[in-house]
Amino acid sequence: EESIRYTFASFISGEGHDVVTAGSYAEGIASIAASDFDLIISDIVLGGKTGIDLLREVRARDLVCPVVMVTGYPTMETAAEALRLGAFDYIPKPVEQEAVLRVTRLALAYKQVLDENIRYRGHLEAIFSSVEDGILTMDEGLRVLEMNDSAARICGISREAVGRELGASLRHCAEKYLGALKETVERREPVKIARFECHHATDLRILTLFTYPLTDRHGLFTGAALVVRDETRLATLEQDLKGRSRFHNLIGRSGQMRKIYSLIESLADVDTTVLVTGESGTGKELVAEALHHMGVRNNRPLVKVNCSVLSESLLESELFGHVKGAFTGAVSDRVGRFQKADGGTIFLDEIGDISPRVQSSLLRVLQEKEFERVGDSRPLRVDVRVIAATNKNLLERVRQGLFREDLYYRLKVVELPLPPLRERREDISLLVEHFLKQFNVKFHKDIQSLSADVELLFLNYHWPGNVRELKHALEHAWIVCGRDTITVDDLPGQFKAPEETGAVIAAASEGLDPQMILQALEKTAWNKAKAARLLGVDRKTLYRNMEKFNIKEMPE
């Protein structure tokens, strides 16, 4: 009825609300389809349709909106049907302003509560579905009320578990799950079972589970929550780190190298600048390769630049490119290394040798992700991860005014220091074994081992050139060796000096390193006579040093 529509619109808009009116069921449905409403007020009689039909349509569309009926002839049947379908209230005719406004205020307050509940539930559901841990909630009888997708994956149960007792759905480790849950239900306290083995159908998993009591807003106990964390990968990683002897192309099982492996894994997917430091020959380029190939950019280019071999102008052109005519000899445009590395990684080796001008340009790339080609004023943007390396003390160069302080701290977001070979002597035998296999293939030989005096020399040598020097020394030996064992005669000159060789062996005889003793014993299956010969000492010296370092018999 037009007069009632006008009256309602006048009353409600006077309260500051926006009002849309419709003269028929069809108009009302069209308005509902076009907009979101906080309240719908409908006459019970709508020509060929009724307000009940409108209410059914609102519910069918899943609209969160209270509906108020207006009627001059309310009956028990109509009221019951309307309430069953979720009508909020009735307004009888004739319409009174205060009645309309009172119902409007109540309905809108109710709508506000509904919206708040929906938002709250939406947030909970987003958290519930996004976490990697499996989460299940249960009532006091351990019937599953809710579960997320992670719970289905980790626990090996389907969505059909909802509404059923958890024990009926579990196929693996039911005793662990139910025991913890029953304890929580009985004692109303959290329970944790850390790192237990769960044998799934196709694999073994390491799981940790937590159970917590659930209470309502009045503090009354209502059930329990189960959180299951799959720690298989972490446990495997920890196990690997304890005994891992190589990582990508890096080799070593010393504590220092295991820390390097762990740090590389932590940094691989973190898109930040990394400064790799260490003496020449320690493997800084291998670290850059590992960081790139383990990260999310591994399907994009890894571009390497040795900053120490190019002059300032050539390095600037190499890094950023140039346009035709930028300088004498620039006969065409050239794409720089940063452009070639777009989307990937650029490795700047010997970064400590770059000039102040190149330092300034590099700082701009790191800060703004853009640069200009030599001879061009148009900026180019790139998305590149920068890994830099140096064997110099950059902080000392900053103090000397040779390196920009702001660039130093920009590069050194994370520093990854590589230990020199003399600080990880326990890795020498592993490196020798690796190069032995490599050079046998390369030179088509079958050299099996190093002589005892060569091993002793290697273990005590100071290795100023680190792993690179070891590799080159062995390559030289492989070329000149005509037997199946490398001796001192096959080594480069620095190892053949009688005074140095004698000093090394004498030093070893006077005081053996415990790591050397252990390596010799392990190589000889703890045969002390053979170990003493391998170390170049007599058995009494070996026994004395074993006692000194508290080295016991071979462990079982």
Side-chain angles (χ1 to χ4, degrees):
E1 296 175 23
E2 186 176 356
S3 60
I4 293 182
R5 294 201 305 276
Y6 175 80
T7 300
F8 271 73
S10 176
F11 289 166
I12 297 172
S13 60
E15 290 284 298
H17 303 298
D18 294 326
V19 180
V20 175
T21 61
S24 67
Y25 175 86
E27 282 183 36
I29 294 300
S31 295
I32 289 169
S35 302
D36 289 329
F37 290 95
D38 296 307
L39 171 61
I40 296 172
I41 302 176
S42 172
D43 205 329
I44 199 74
V45 178
L46 298 174
K49 294 282 188 175
T50 69
I52 299 296
D53 294 321
L54 183 71
L55 187 57
R56 286 197 183 97
E57 185 65 24
V58 168
R59 295 298 165 249
R61 291 171 181 258
D62 241 359
L63 302 180
V64 182
C65 176
V67 178
V68 173
M69 293 296 181
V70 181
T71 180
Y73 309 101
T75 64
M76 287 300 295
E77 292 79 8
T78 305
E81 180 67 2
L83 291 174
R84 187 183 68 79
L85 292 172
F88 180 76
D89 205 350
Y90 265 100
I91 297 178
K93 298 178 184 177
V95 175
E96 295 182 358
Q97 181 177 8
E98 188 51 42
V100 171
L101 296 182
R102 177 183 60 79
V103 170
T104 298
R105 293 187 194 107
L106 289 173
L108 291 177
Y110 174 67
K111 175 63 162 60
Q112 191 172 7
V113 172
L114 287 178
D115 288 345
E116 189 63 34
N117 286 341
I118 289 171
R119 279 193 296 272
Y120 180 70
R121 183 170 180 80
H123 292 158
L124 284 180
E125 288 177 349
I127 296 170
F128 201 62
S129 61
S130 63
V131 295
E132 292 186 3
D133 294 345
I135 304 175
L136 300 98
T137 57
M138 276 147 286
D139 62 17
E140 292 185 72
L142 301 186
R143 281 180 291 274
V144 179
L145 302 175
E146 222 19 284
M147 60 180 284
N148 64 356
D149 292 338
S150 296
R153 173 177 52 81
I154 296 172
C155 303
I157 59 178
S158 67
R159 280 277 174 189
E160 295 174 358
V162 175
R164 300 165 55 186
E165 287 189 14
L166 180 63
S169 303
L170 286 171
R171 290 176 291 172
H172 316 289
C173 306
E175 186 178 344
K176 295 279 189 186
Y177 288 97
L178 297 178
L181 285 165
K182 287 175 181 176
E183 186 175 345
T184 292
V185 169
E186 291 170 3
R187 300 172 55 187
R188 309 291 201 260
E189 291 179 357
V191 173
K192 176 182 177 180
I193 301 179
R195 293 215 175 172
F196 63 93
E197 293 184 354
C198 186
H199 293 266
H200 279 236
T202 58
D203 58 0
L204 171 67
R205 298 186 185 178
I206 308 299
L207 306 179
T208 294
L209 66 82
F210 309 82
T211 57
Y212 304 94
L214 291 179
T215 57
D216 62 16
R217 60 193 182 93
H218 300 296
L220 298 175
F221 180 79
T222 59
L226 171 68
V227 178
V228 188
R229 182 167 299 155
D230 189 343
E231 297 190 341
T232 307
R233 182 177 178 276
L234 180 60
T236 303
L237 177 61
E238 289 174 353
Q239 188 65 32
D240 286 348
L241 284 173
K242 289 176 183 176
R244 179 159 53 179
S245 61
R246 63 184 303 144
F247 183 86
H248 287 261
N249 291 322
L250 293 160
I251 295 171
R253 57 167 165 251
S254 60
Q256 299 100 312
M257 292 308 294
R258 291 203 300 268
K259 288 178 182 177
I260 294 295
Y261 303 157
S262 180
L263 191 53
I264 290 173
E265 287 186 319
S266 300
L267 292 172
D269 288 331
V270 180
D271 206 14
T272 187
T273 305
V274 177
L275 179 63
V276 187
T277 58
E279 296 178 9
S280 180
T282 49
K284 297 185 287 295
E285 186 174 336
L286 299 180
V287 170
E289 291 174 356
L291 283 166
H292 173 75
H293 291 301
M294 284 197 64
V296 293
R297 296 175 180 264
N298 58 9
N299 60 342
R300 303 295 297 163
L302 169 62
V303 177
K304 302 174 184 178
V305 185
N306 189 328
C307 300
S308 65
V309 298
L310 298 172
S311 65
E312 179 185 86
S313 57
L314 287 176
L315 179 60
E316 198 169 16
S317 172
E318 192 70 25
L319 290 176
F320 308 116
H322 62 251
V323 295
K324 181 179 178 180
F327 50 83
T328 303
V331 295
S332 61
D333 290 357
R334 178 173 183 173
V335 175
R337 299 290 184 94
F338 268 97
Q339 262 187 286
K340 290 180 180 178
D342 192 22
T345 305
I346 189 167
F347 174 55
L348 304 176
D349 199 7
E350 305 303 342
I351 193 72
D353 294 328
I354 62 176
S355 68
R357 191 172 79 185
V358 178
Q359 290 177 35
S360 178
S361 300
L362 182 58
L363 181 63
R364 182 184 176 190
V365 178
L366 292 173
Q367 289 179 333
E368 302 174 19
K369 300 291 185 184
E370 67 178 29
F371 63 91
E372 294 169 1
R373 292 183 295 174
V374 178
D376 194 2
S377 59
R378 293 170 298 174
L380 297 173
R381 292 195 64 80
V382 287
D383 172 27
V384 174
R385 183 184 192 179
V386 176
I387 301 173
T390 183
N391 59 7
K392 292 181 169 59
N393 186 332
L394 285 190
L395 190 56
E396 183 59 33
R397 292 180 71 81
V398 169
R399 294 193 187 101
Q400 295 170 357
L402 300 174
F403 203 86
R404 293 182 61 131
E405 185 176 19
D406 48 1
L407 177 58
Y408 167 69
Y409 286 111
R410 192 74 187 181
L411 288 170
K412 190 181 174 291
V413 176
V414 178
E415 182 177 358
L416 207 158
L418 287 178
L421 187 56
R422 62 183 172 275
E423 292 181 6
R424 56 181 188 106
R425 295 181 188 275
E426 60 264 48
D427 293 334
I428 291 175
S429 60
L430 281 173
L431 290 162
V432 168
E433 183 182 344
H434 167 73
F435 292 132
L436 185 148
K437 294 176 182 177
Q438 189 179 91
F439 291 139
N440 274 337
V441 173
K442 180 177 180 180
F443 298 117
H444 307 290
K445 291 187 176 182
D446 188 23
I447 294 176
Q448 296 297 315
S449 62
L450 310 181
S451 66
D453 51 353
V454 170
E455 290 192 349
L456 187 62
L457 277 171
F458 279 8
L459 285 171
N460 287 276
Y461 184 62
H462 61 289
W463 297 111
N466 294 293
V467 179
R468 185 185 294 122
E469 184 183 8
L470 173 63
K471 180 179 180 181
H472 290 167
L474 287 171
E475 186 168 9
H476 174 96
W478 246 263
I479 293 171
V480 301
C481 181
R483 301 165 303 281
D484 63 356
T485 301
I486 290 176
T487 66
V488 173
D489 293 334
D490 302 316
L491 298 177
Q494 70 266 31
F495 294 98
K496 294 180 182 178
E499 62 277 5
E500 182 169 346
T501 302
V504 167
I505 294 176
S509 301
E510 291 171 6
L512 294 172
D513 181 272
Q515 192 63 43
M516 292 167 54
I517 296 172
L518 285 171
Q519 285 185 349
L521 289 167
E522 287 173 2
K523 281 192 172 186
T524 59
W526 286 73
N527 184 311
K528 298 182 185 64
K530 290 182 180 179
R533 286 197 298 273
L534 183 61
L535 291 168
V537 298
D538 58 35
R539 275 187 289 180
K540 289 182 179 179
T541 302
L542 176 61
Y543 290 144
R544 187 169 61 251
N545 280 275
M546 286 180 67
E547 185 177 352
K548 174 183 175 182
F549 297 117
N550 196 28
I551 297 174
K552 306 297 184 184
E553 293 298 316
M554 178 175 62
E556 295 181 0

